[in-house]
Amino acid sequence: MDDQRLDKARRRLLEEIEVEAADTRNWTGRARFSNRVMAAMAKVPRHAFVPAEDRDHAYVNRPRPIGFGQTISQPYIVAVMTDLLDLSGTDRVLEIGAGCGYQAAVLAEVAAKVFTVEVIDSLAEAARARLKRLGYDNVEVLSGDGFLGWPEKGPFDAIIVTSAPEHVPPALVDQLMPGGRMVVPVGRVHETQTLYLIVKDKDGNLKTRKTLPVAFVPMVPKKEGAR
Ligand code: SAH
């Protein structure tokens, strides 16, 4: 596919995201996503994040395989999760589950700084190289266990978890700033998960709201020596 057709496919994808946002308003509480989030979705070249042989399908509104049994998230899901975080241009964001780095790039368009943790070393290395090549110098990638968060860099204005734990990891709640927001899919493997929006108020109290039913890969602890 040449650049012109990729552009066309990307524009069609944005329209699909708008329709899906309207369709899911009762779950998410939002009939449309912010202009800033939609501009980020329009700008990030998803075809640079999928395997080369999958380039022609880069703008299909579906998750796609990226190797190691992992996937690149569905574009609508990337958009809704980013929107629910209500990011400002000064925010520092923690992502758990860098994968190919696509969600991190979208976050990097709307926040000041993105810290992303990936448990599979080879994916972390590839994401780091790809984000650098694309000029995302406000993203740092850590190869490590997301259950621990990234304490040296916290606390964070927002946290986004893109694999599903069975319970919200306590370290992540600790690393969320008062006034901060977290989106996290929670549920057991092979069961429908629920995407939660957790808001920590100024006094540190948590308010948790259920949004969409979702299907993420499981969040798994890091095995020592594993690659
Ligand atoms: N954010 C990605 C989606 C990645 S899929 C995107 O933009 O498309 C989920 C990722 O979470 C996988 O790469 C998986 O390896 C990773 N993951 C699973 N358990 C993890 C853990 N404990 N810590 C960090 N990453 C984890």
Side-chain angles (χ1 to χ4, degrees):
M1 224 186 243
D2 57 28
D3 286 355
Q4 218 178 337
R5 291 184 64 189
L6 285 173
D7 278 351
K8 205 172 153 205
R10 194 185 304 151
R11 277 200 301 277
R12 195 179 328 115
L13 172 64
L14 291 177
E15 285 166 16
E16 285 172 19
I17 292 173
E18 277 175 10
V19 170
E20 197 163 351
D23 286 350
T24 51
R25 72 211 297 166
N26 291 340
W27 296 100
T28 63
R30 303 189 168 186
R32 58 185 306 280
F33 304 145
S34 77
N35 292 340
R36 296 179 69 236
V37 169
M38 291 307 285
M41 296 300 296
K43 188 165 170 202
V44 177
R46 195 169 188 256
H47 62 272
F49 291 85
V50 297
E53 64 275 15
D54 210 21
R55 197 178 136 102
D56 287 1
H57 301 117
Y59 295 100
V60 175
N61 191 20
R62 299 294 312 156
R64 307 289 304 181
I66 57 167
F68 303 93
Q70 303 303 328
T71 54
I72 179 171
S73 295
Q74 181 190 355
Y76 158 78
I77 287 289
V78 170
V80 72
M81 289 175 84
T82 307
D83 199 76
L84 286 170
L85 291 177
D86 286 340
L87 295 167
S88 83
T90 56
D91 284 344
R92 297 167 72 260
V93 186
L94 174 67
E95 180 192 26
I96 305 301
C100 61
Y102 176 65
Q103 170 78 72
V106 172
L107 293 167
E109 295 286 349
V110 290
K113 186 96 202 193
V114 180
F115 301 90
T116 182
V117 183
E118 171 55 52
V119 76
I120 299 176
D121 290 345
S122 318
L123 284 177
E125 274 165 39
R128 192 180 293 121
R130 177 182 292 116
L131 289 162
K132 190 174 174 206
R133 178 163 52 78
L134 294 171
Y136 286 103
D137 49 17
N138 59 339
V139 183
E140 284 183 48
V141 183
L142 175 71
S143 175
D145 188 347
F147 279 101
L148 308 175
W150 195 341
E152 297 79 11
K153 303 288 185 180
F156 303 95
D157 299 291
I159 299 180
I160 175 170
V161 184
T162 66
S163 56
E166 289 189 12
H167 306 283
V168 179
L172 300 186
V173 175
D174 288 349
Q175 289 168 37
L176 187 63
M177 206 110 87
R181 300 163 76 81
M182 170 164 21
V183 283
V184 51
V186 179
R188 291 205 226 184
V189 188
H190 308 311
E191 288 179 16
T192 301
Q193 305 139 6
T194 301
L195 185 66
Y196 283 95
L197 172 64
I198 301 173
V199 181
K200 194 186 255 192
D201 72 17
K202 300 277 178 232
D203 303 318
N205 301 313
L206 301 180
K207 252 200 226 115
T208 300
R209 182 159 75 77
K210 285 185 183 186
T211 67
L212 293 166
V214 287
F216 279 86
V217 297
M219 186 166 169
V220 292
K222 186 163 180 110
K223 292 191 201 78
E224 269 327 303
R227 285 195 72 86

